[in-house]
């Protein structure tokens, strides 16, 4: 067989060194082409991998609480870099505020933002994770218990073992002590509340009943209309910003502030557990860590907005009155009775024992260790003006 005739130039080009170079150039060209194709295709792949979760709050769109929920959703969306998105919805977009938990359990919604007191009828211990007894602590102290005192494990036990709900939840967002509420006339003592038609939620409802109050439980958007129509004699919601946005000042001018009925509340963020477990671990971490980060931001925003809105309410003619000590002492006595009755449930007692152990230790430290703030305030600003 004849051998193929090679051109001298071709033969020279096929030295081992040149052949190696040719293979490298060919491979590099293919790689460059692949990179070019990938550069076109990657945005489409990224969009295809985005997971969207329907996330509803239990708050009207005009309420600062819905804004807090939106802040959480925005932070999650930024941290996830387009791979995960919470689609934020206000109360009523899919279900009413008191139906949120059921909707998330069923998968009608993927998640939501609310308070545990709304699920009190499912189990009284739910309220311990949002509106616990007034042990002398504030919401930040309760969140410390959640994070480092065993509270999160007890919450998980209640949700997933005691009640077997298909939920994952995070507690977040410390609230300042709440007002006693809005009334048609000033409350001068416990007797003024006897027989009163009053709105509150959770364990606070049991507390009010112990004081002879007729309690009605309802969502935020229904309170002011009920008060306006005379269906309620008094009502509380939460804070100056929310109360002002909801329009309480348009139906009554007496605002009683300072109360032990809900002195240490926080929010709850929940997700359908199957949906949550289907997410990559990184995305689960974002949902959890964003709850902690937005918790801090919410506390700082509340300092700004609540104080400004209380001043605005005063300027609008609202009479802001401190709840008298006689009412506060009556509330504490009522707490004793509520705690004794509800502690017949072993899990309720288990959670409360844990809370008391934490509160006793950290408040003993704080009361002994921390400096007084009232003396410094009086030195620089004078005696505070009583509301």
């Amino acid at each position: 067989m004849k051998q193929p005739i090679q051109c001298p130039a071709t033969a020279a080009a096929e030295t081992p060194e040149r052949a190696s170079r040719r293979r490298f150039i060919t491979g590099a060209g293919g790689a460059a082409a692949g990179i070019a194709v990938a550069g076109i295709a990657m945005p489409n792949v990224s969009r295809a991998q985005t997971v969207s979760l329907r996330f509803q709050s239990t708050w009207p769109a005009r309420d600062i609480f819905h804004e807090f929920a939106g802040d959480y959703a925005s932070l999650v969306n930024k941290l996830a870099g387009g791979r995960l998105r919470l689609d934020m919805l206000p109360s009523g977009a899919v279900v009413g505020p008191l139906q949120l938990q059921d909707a998330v359990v069923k998968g009608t919604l993927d998640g939501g933002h609310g308070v545990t007191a709304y699920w009190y009828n499912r189990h009284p211990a739910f309220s311990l994770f949002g509106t616990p007894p007034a042990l002398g602590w504030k919401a930040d102290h309760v969140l410390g218990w959640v994070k480092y005192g065993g509270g999160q494990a007890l919450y998980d036990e209640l949700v997933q073992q005691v009640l077997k709900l298909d939920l994952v939840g995070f507690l977040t967002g410390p609230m300042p002590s709440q007002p006693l509420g809005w009334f048609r006339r000033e409350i001068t003592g416990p007797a003024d509340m006897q027989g009163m038609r009053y709105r509150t939620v959770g364990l606070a409802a049991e507390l009010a009943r112990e004081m002879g109050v007729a309690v009605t439980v309802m969502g935020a958007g229904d309170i002011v209309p009920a008060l306006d129509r005379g269906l309620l004699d008094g009502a509380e919601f939460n804070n100056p910003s929310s109360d002002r946005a909801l329009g309480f000042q348009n139906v009554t001018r007496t605002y009683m502030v300072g109360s032990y009925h809900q002195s240490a509340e926080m929010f709850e963020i929940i997700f359908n557990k199957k949906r949550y477990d289907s997410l990559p671990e990184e995305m689960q971490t974002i949902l959890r860590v964003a709850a902690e980060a937005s918790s801090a931001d919410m506390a700082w925003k509340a300092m700004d907005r609540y104080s400004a809105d209380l001043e605005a309410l005063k300027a609008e003619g609202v009479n802001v009155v401190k709840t008298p000590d006689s009412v506060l002492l009556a509330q504490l006595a009522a707490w004793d009775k509520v705690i004794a009755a509800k502690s017949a449930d072993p899990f309720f007692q288990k959670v409360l024992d844990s809370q008391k152990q934490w509160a006793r230790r950290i408040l003993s430290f704080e009361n002994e260790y921390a400096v007084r703030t009232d003396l410094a305030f009086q030195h620089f600003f004078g005696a505070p003006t009583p509301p």
Side-chain angles (χ1 to χ4, degrees):
M1 178 183 293
K2 292 185 178 179
Q3 297 293 327
I5 299 173
Q6 286 187 325
C7 170
T10 303
E14 288 302 308
T15 63
E17 181 181 352
R18 290 181 180 271
S20 176
R21 185 182 302 167
R22 177 171 54 79
R23 287 193 298 271
F24 172 80
I25 293 171
T26 302
I35 291 171
V37 172
I40 296 171
M42 279 304 289
N44 292 329
V45 171
S46 178
R47 280 194 295 270
Q49 291 176 342
T50 298
V51 176
S52 293
L53 303 180
R54 290 212 301 172
F55 188 80
Q56 183 188 298
S57 82
T58 56
W59 320 115
R62 65 186 181 278
D63 186 2
I64 193 172
F65 283 4
H66 184 70
E67 184 179 332
F68 293 153
D71 290 342
Y72 169 73
S74 295
L75 182 58
V76 167
N77 295 345
K78 289 176 183 177
L79 292 174
R83 292 165 292 169
L84 175 68
R85 177 172 181 80
L86 297 188
D87 294 327
M88 190 72 238
L89 301 166
S91 176
V94 178
V95 294
L98 302 182
Q99 289 76 50
L100 177 74
Q101 188 187 73
D102 284 337
V104 175
V105 169
K106 294 174 183 176
T108 307
L109 288 164
D110 297 307
H113 183 283
V115 289
T116 61
Y118 279 4
W119 328 132
Y120 175 76
N121 287 338
R122 183 157 255 160
H123 197 293
F126 258 124
S127 200
L128 291 174
F129 296 95
T131 56
L135 302 178
W137 57 357
K138 298 179 181 179
D140 257 337
H141 300 134
V142 185
L143 284 172
W145 168 75
V146 169
K147 183 73 175 177
Y148 290 105
Q152 184 67 52
L154 288 168
Y155 172 88
D156 293 342
E157 182 180 348
L158 171 64
V159 171
Q160 296 166 14
Q161 297 178 35
V162 176
L163 296 175
K164 302 187 186 307
L165 299 176
D166 194 26
L167 289 177
V168 171
F170 312 117
L171 300 168
T172 178
M175 303 182 198
S177 176
Q178 296 179 33
L180 184 64
W182 296 80
F183 302 91
R184 300 193 180 281
R185 57 187 173 82
E186 183 177 331
I187 304 300
T188 60
D192 291 342
M193 301 186 72
Q194 290 284 327
M196 176 181 290
R197 296 169 299 173
Y198 177 76
R199 181 271 177 191
T200 189
V201 295
L203 281 171
E206 301 291 346
L207 183 79
R209 291 186 183 108
E210 283 291 341
M211 297 176 67
V213 176
V215 176
T216 298
V217 177
M218 60 180 67
D222 298 323
I223 305 171
V224 171
L227 198 60
D228 190 34
R229 293 197 300 271
L231 302 176
L232 295 172
D233 302 310
E236 63 82 33
F237 180 63
N238 192 277
N239 66 83
S241 297
S242 294
D243 291 357
R244 186 167 179 244
L246 291 172
F248 278 91
Q249 73 278 13
N250 298 325
V251 296
T252 181
R253 295 282 171 163
T254 302
Y255 193 27
M256 306 291 299
V257 296
S259 177
Y260 282 136
H261 78 288
Q262 288 176 318
S263 59
E265 189 173 10
M266 75 274 321
F267 293 107
E268 177 196 41
I269 292 171
I270 56 175
F271 291 97
N272 178 276
K273 190 173 187 301
K274 289 188 181 68
R275 192 72 164 120
Y276 178 85
D277 289 344
S278 72
L279 298 173
E281 185 177 353
E282 179 186 1
M283 297 298 104
Q284 294 177 11
T285 300
I286 287 174
L287 292 175
R288 176 177 54 79
V289 171
E292 296 182 357
S294 61
S295 181
D297 183 68
M298 190 221 91
W300 303 327
K301 179 183 281 191
M303 289 180 196
D304 175 37
R305 298 277 286 278
Y306 291 2
S307 59
D309 278 315
L310 185 62
E311 292 304 312
L313 286 170
K314 293 176 183 177
E316 292 165 3
V318 171
N319 184 29
V320 180
V321 184
K322 288 287 282 187
T323 300
D325 287 350
S326 60
V327 173
L328 298 179
L329 292 172
Q331 286 180 324
L332 292 176
W335 269 123
D336 288 339
K337 295 179 181 178
V338 171
I339 289 171
K342 297 303 176 185
S343 293
D345 178 88
F347 187 78
F348 187 99
Q349 182 67 64
K350 178 180 179 180
V351 176
L352 185 61
D353 286 345
S354 175
Q355 290 184 330
K356 283 185 172 181
Q357 182 180 11
W358 173 266
R360 183 181 296 110
R361 176 163 62 88
I362 57 101
L363 291 174
S364 294
F365 167 79
E366 190 167 296
N367 291 336
E368 180 179 10
Y369 197 79
V371 70
R372 289 175 58 178
T373 59
D374 57 331
L375 293 180
F377 184 92
Q378 291 172 22
H379 174 81
F380 287 103
F381 306 111
T385 303

